[in-house]
């Protein structure tokens, strides 16, 4: 059993403000090459950031970096490398370690080095929103294929859009408090090592939809 709880706005606010300053600095540093917008997504946007004091993972933020049209001329590798390099120059001034490059995101972590503990972290996904030939809104992201050391633009899977439709229905029907309660219960009961919060969140939404009468 775990002991996850929701992080308060008072705890989140100073960290979020620093991340905004970091992103604005990265944007200013790269503005002569390309521009981008950024937004907090996931648990930070939903006000569902969790934290278990007994674990060495801290709490985390998810941020989408949305590349504007003037950046698409660059390769996926160039875009991600430029952003990661800029983060490496700026984030340490706010106490963060150098950026880590993983499959879907670039991660920065702030640690209590004396006690070898992660206090919090931020995952940055680089995305591009566009309209396809059928007029549908789509999103792709830069994915790092480590095995081949290759960066590519990859479309979000179909389940990404299906989940958003379910979330919209749950909110509109007034069942969001049920989501918050069940999500925390599921995180604390989870017995699958390495199971990510996004998977638990998707399961929570699906279960509430089934319970309340929304079917695909």
């Amino acid at each position: 059993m775990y002991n996850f709880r929701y992080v308060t706005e008072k705890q989140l606010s100073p960290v979020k403000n620093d991340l905004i300053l970091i992103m604005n600095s990265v944007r200013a540093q790269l503005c002569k090459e390309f521009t981008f917008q950024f937004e907090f997504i996931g648990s930070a946007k939903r006000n569902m950031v969790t934290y278990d004091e007994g674990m060495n993972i801290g709490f985390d933020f998810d941020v989408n970096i949305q590349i504007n049209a003037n950046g698409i001329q660059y390769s996926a590798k160039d875009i991600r490398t430029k952003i990661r390099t800029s983060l490496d120059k700026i984030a340490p001034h706010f106490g963060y370690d150098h950026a880590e490059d993983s499959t879907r995101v670039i991660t920065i972590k702030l640690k209590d080095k004396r006690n070898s503990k992660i206090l919090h972290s931020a995952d940055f996904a680089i995305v591009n929103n566009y309209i396809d030939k059928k007029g549908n809104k789509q999103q792709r992201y830069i994915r790092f294929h480590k095995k081949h050391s290759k960066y590519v633009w990859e479309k979000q899977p179909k389940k990404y859009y299906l989940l958003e439709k379910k979330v919209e229905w749950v909110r509109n029907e007034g069942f969001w408090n049920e989501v918050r309660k069940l999500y925390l219960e599921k995180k604390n009961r989870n017995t699958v090592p390495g199971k990510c919060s996004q998977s638990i969140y998707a399961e929570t939404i699906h279960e509430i939809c089934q319970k309340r009468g929304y079917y695909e």
Side-chain angles (χ1 to χ4, degrees), residues 33-36 67-76 78-79 82 128 140 142 153:
E33 299 182 72
F34 59 83
T35 58
F36 62 81
I67 303 300
N68 292 333
N70 62 353
I72 303 304
Q73 61 180 310
Y74 293 94
S75 69
D78 282 345
I79 293 171
K82 289 176 185 293
N128 173 236
R140 57 181 183 165
I142 295 180
W153 283 107

Side-chain angles (χ1 to χ4, degrees), residues 127-144:
V127 304
N128 173 236
N129 298 321
Y130 66 99
I131 306 296
D132 67 14
K133 294 180 180 179
K134 296 181 180 179
N136 298 316
K137 292 182 179 179
Q138 301 287 338
Q139 185 181 91
R140 57 181 183 165
Y141 67 97
I142 295 180
R143 185 180 182 92
F144 177 37

Side-chain angles (χ1 to χ4, degrees), residues 69-169:
N70 62 353
I72 303 304
Q73 61 180 310
Y74 293 94
S75 69
K77 181 178 180 179
D78 282 345
I79 293 171
R80 188 139 155 178
T81 300
K82 289 176 185 293
I83 290 175
R84 187 181 68 249
T85 300
S86 184
L87 280 169
D88 273 342
K89 292 178 181 177
I90 295 165
H93 292 290
F94 292 81
Y96 288 89
D97 284 353
H98 288 290
E100 301 173 11
D101 208 4
S102 59
T103 303
R104 294 178 65 103
V105 298
I106 300 169
T107 302
I108 57 174
K109 298 175 181 177
L110 194 146
K111 301 174 182 176
D112 175 356
K113 295 183 179 179
R114 178 177 294 180
N115 296 304
S116 300
K117 190 171 185 178
I118 299 171
L119 300 178
H120 51 261
S121 60
D123 293 330
F124 301 95
I126 302 172
V127 304
N128 173 236
N129 298 321
Y130 66 99
I131 306 296
D132 67 14
K133 294 180 180 179
K134 296 181 180 179
N136 298 316
K137 292 182 179 179
Q138 301 287 338
Q139 185 181 91
R140 57 181 183 165
Y141 67 97
I142 295 180
R143 185 180 182 92
F144 177 37
H145 291 274
K146 292 185 179 181
K147 185 177 180 180
H148 304 290
S149 191
K150 187 177 182 181
Y151 296 85
V152 298
W153 283 107
E154 193 156 308
K155 292 181 180 179
Q156 294 285 11
K158 185 178 180 181
K159 63 182 180 181
Y160 169 84
Y161 304 100
L162 293 176
L163 179 60
E164 290 305 307
K165 289 182 179 179
K166 291 179 180 179
V167 169
E168 183 179 4
W169 183 85

Side-chain angles (χ1 to χ4, degrees), residues 5-89:
R5 57 180 175 80
Y6 285 118
V7 183
T8 66
E9 183 62 30
K10 184 178 180 180
Q11 292 171 300
L12 292 175
S13 184
V15 180
K16 187 175 182 179
N17 289 340
D18 277 353
L19 291 173
I20 290 172
L21 289 173
I22 290 171
M23 279 288 90
N24 283 335
S25 296
V26 170
R27 184 159 55 185
Q29 193 171 86
L30 296 176
C31 67
K32 292 184 179 180
E33 299 182 72
F34 59 83
T35 58
F36 62 81
Q37 310 299 317
F38 66 90
E39 67 168 337
F40 290 88
I41 62 167
S43 57
K45 185 175 182 178
R46 299 188 292 263
N47 191 28
M48 292 173 64
V49 178
T50 59
Y51 174 63
D52 185 337
E53 192 172 352
M55 299 179 68
N56 187 25
I57 56 175
F59 58 86
D60 67 297
F61 287 85
D62 296 302
V63 182
N64 269 359
I65 298 175
Q66 302 172 24
I67 303 300
N68 292 333
N70 62 353
I72 303 304
Q73 61 180 310
Y74 293 94
S75 69
K77 181 178 180 179
D78 282 345
I79 293 171
R80 188 139 155 178
T81 300
K82 289 176 185 293
I83 290 175
R84 187 181 68 249
T85 300
S86 184
L87 280 169
D88 273 342
K89 292 178 181 177

